[in-house]
Amino acid sequence: MIKFCSFLIIALVTWSIQAQDVLLKRADSLYAHGNYSQAIDTYKSYEQQGLVYEKMAKAYLALGNYDLALKNYDLALNAFPEDALIKYDYAKLLSRSKKLNDAAVLFSELVYLDYRNPNYHYELGLVFEKQGDSTAMNRFHSAYELDPTHQKAIAKMARYFLVKRKHEASLKYINTGLESYANNVELINLKALNYYWKEDYKEASVWFDKLLVLGENSQFIHEKLSFCYAEQTLYKKAIDHANLAVSFDPKNTTNLYILGQLYENINDYAAAEKWISEALVIMDQPLNAEYTKLATILNQQGKYKEAIAALQNAIKEDPQDEMAQFFLVRTKDEYYADRDSKIKIYEVFKEKFPKSVYIPFANGRLRELKDEKFMKSD
């Protein structure tokens, strides 16, 4: 009888263990197939809860329930305080949840336990960076020293030196990173910006173009390429990219205006007028300079009446704008047929702006007009 009872107990224990194993495998399978809520319910039925807290934390994290994920990571760490992987995942979630002090404590413990692990340094650096702690860069540098192929640490160092305008230092890190990962988009972008800020627009355009080849396509890239090509007087390429920049945001007045200026550079005054006019319709700021630019383009097309209207708008924006006032006089000079009217507008300008830089031009034109009038009267 005793032997039978012992056998029965062993059988029941074995059955219970096997049942628990089946339960755990089912929960793991549910998790692996994305049935996170069912997986959590199944894990909760597992007798040795300490063994599944980490699994439940990951399932809650997959569902986007950070509070319960954090709670279960905390329980898992209490169950296995020496488990570095639990500590690492918990610390990352703490950082992601903006619980920065707690994250810093755990990452610091991990650095102490395994100083040779570059990613511990990098993650601690991210936490310090979020806290505004200047020593964050020391952690990124340590990660780089431990692993010179650590792309994320390299990007942090490269960006830091770029912002400081220490271009050679920034490029040194970038080039090191590109040796191990030639198509790192973030590093290529930083390289392009280094050359752009150094005003080496030819080299900058090479790297911005590489971003396009790699499938990056943004308003920012096209804006920068347009400027780079314009600085190289490659206006048609500049116009192509300016058009693409405008396509991302047709209401961006700066890009509309720049596109108009680029068309002016290739003497396509009709297109220049179109784009600058569009910009002016949208702009909500003092527009005297912009209206004056439009008037210049209209004058180049012989559209003097429209140019006069544009300059009058410029003067409304800023009545003391000498340039707009003088350009209005010059445009009326071209538009008016009556010589006396022409003389009058120059004299009025001289009275209003006696110290203007345009006075010598006004005096010269007045002499011409008066000489013409004298010769005509004879």
Side-chain angles (χ1 to χ4, degrees):
M1 185 68 178
I2 295 172
K3 287 183 178 180
F4 175 75
C5 289
S6 298
F7 174 78
L8 183 61
I9 292 169
I10 292 170
L12 288 171
V13 170
T14 302
W15 178 85
S16 176
I17 292 171
Q18 289 175 342
Q20 287 291 298
D21 286 344
V22 170
L23 184 73
L24 186 58
K25 286 178 181 177
R26 184 170 183 274
D28 288 345
S29 178
L30 287 166
Y31 177 86
H33 287 87
N35 294 316
Y36 303 119
S37 294
Q38 292 180 51
I40 290 167
D41 289 339
T42 308
Y43 284 132
K44 285 180 178 178
S45 301
Y46 191 69
E47 290 179 355
Q48 299 183 61
Q49 285 288 281
L51 297 177
V52 295
Y53 285 135
E54 181 187 8
K55 294 176 183 285
M56 285 195 287
K58 289 180 177 178
Y60 278 120
L61 181 59
L63 287 171
N65 190 330
Y66 296 156
D67 286 347
L68 286 176
L70 287 167
K71 178 181 177 181
N72 278 274
Y73 268 127
D74 187 47
L75 290 168
L77 190 58
N78 284 328
F80 299 98
E82 302 303 320
D83 191 314
L85 185 57
I86 292 175
K87 189 173 291 189
Y88 179 64
D89 287 339
Y90 184 23
K92 284 198 295 182
L93 184 56
L94 285 167
S95 176
R96 185 175 174 182
S97 304
K98 298 182 173 57
K99 299 181 184 299
L100 301 178
N101 290 335
D102 292 337
V105 169
L106 289 184
F107 280 127
S108 295
E109 288 178 8
L110 287 167
V111 168
Y112 178 77
L113 290 170
D114 184 5
Y115 193 86
R116 304 298 299 173
N117 187 318
N119 226 42
Y120 292 165
H121 291 275
Y122 175 75
E123 293 290 349
L124 181 56
L126 289 181
V127 173
F128 285 162
E129 187 177 56
K130 290 175 185 176
Q131 292 177 315
D133 188 334
S134 60
T135 63
M137 208 51 56
N138 295 338
R139 297 301 99 225
F140 296 139
H141 187 262
S142 292
Y144 168 76
E145 288 290 317
L146 290 165
D147 179 5
T149 68
H150 197 298
Q151 298 290 306
K152 292 181 178 179
I154 288 169
K156 288 291 185 183
M157 300 296 294
R159 186 176 294 278
Y160 171 79
F161 285 113
L162 172 62
V163 171
K164 296 289 186 181
R165 295 297 195 273
K166 295 183 178 180
H167 298 294
E168 298 311 313
S170 180
L171 287 167
K172 172 194 164 189
Y173 284 104
I174 291 168
N175 290 333
T176 300
L178 291 176
E179 285 176 7
S180 56
Y181 181 17
N183 292 331
N184 184 321
V185 168
E186 184 177 7
L187 293 182
I188 291 168
N189 182 59
L190 291 173
K191 189 163 187 174
L193 286 173
N194 264 289
Y195 286 117
Y196 183 85
W197 288 0
K198 286 176 66 177
E199 300 182 9
D200 185 346
Y201 299 115
K202 183 176 181 180
E203 193 67 23
S205 63
V206 170
W207 292 96
F208 280 125
D209 267 325
K210 187 169 177 64
L211 290 173
L212 295 178
V213 171
L214 292 171
E216 299 296 308
N217 187 32
S218 68
Q219 180 179 328
F220 174 82
I221 293 171
H222 290 298
E223 286 171 351
K224 292 295 178 281
L225 273 170
S226 179
F227 186 84
C228 288
Y229 284 127
E231 289 297 304
Q232 298 172 71
T233 66
L234 298 172
Y235 294 119
K236 290 190 177 179
K237 280 189 172 184
I239 287 169
D240 287 342
H241 286 287
N243 271 300
L244 288 167
V246 166
S247 71
F248 280 88
D249 182 4
K251 300 296 183 183
N252 186 308
T253 54
T254 300
N255 285 340
L256 291 169
Y257 189 78
I258 288 171
L259 186 52
Q261 289 181 308
L262 289 170
Y263 275 112
E264 183 189 10
N265 285 331
I266 62 169
N267 300 324
D268 187 343
Y269 300 119
E273 177 189 349
K274 171 182 180 291
W275 291 108
I276 289 178
S277 295
E278 280 196 31
L280 293 176
V281 169
I282 300 169
M283 284 182 179
D284 183 23
Q285 59 184 33
L287 304 174
N288 47 306
E290 287 77 8
Y291 276 119
T292 302
K293 168 62 77 175
L294 176 59
T296 301
I297 291 167
L298 292 165
N299 276 328
Q300 288 166 331
Q301 298 174 83
K303 296 181 177 181
Y304 300 120
K305 185 176 180 180
E306 294 89 339
I308 288 170
L311 287 163
Q312 287 171 336
N313 283 328
I315 291 166
K316 284 179 186 177
E317 296 286 335
D318 182 2
Q320 299 305 311
D321 187 335
E322 290 182 22
M323 179 184 289
Q325 294 273 7
F326 184 70
F327 280 20
L328 179 60
V329 170
R330 288 289 298 121
T331 304
K332 287 180 175 179
D333 184 0
E334 295 291 337
Y335 184 60
Y336 290 167
D338 181 64
R339 191 174 287 105
D340 286 333
S341 297
K342 295 183 180 188
I343 291 171
K344 181 67 175 175
I345 58 174
Y346 279 106
E347 288 176 340
V348 169
F349 177 81
K350 287 179 63 178
E351 289 175 9
K352 188 170 183 179
F353 299 101
K355 296 182 180 180
S356 171
V357 295
Y358 298 106
I359 291 297
F361 300 98
N363 287 336
R365 183 58 181 148
L366 273 171
R367 283 194 297 271
E368 290 176 359
L369 290 168
K370 289 177 178 178
D371 288 345
E372 289 172 8
K373 180 179 179 179
F374 176 75
M375 295 297 292
K376 190 74 173 177
S377 65
D378 287 347

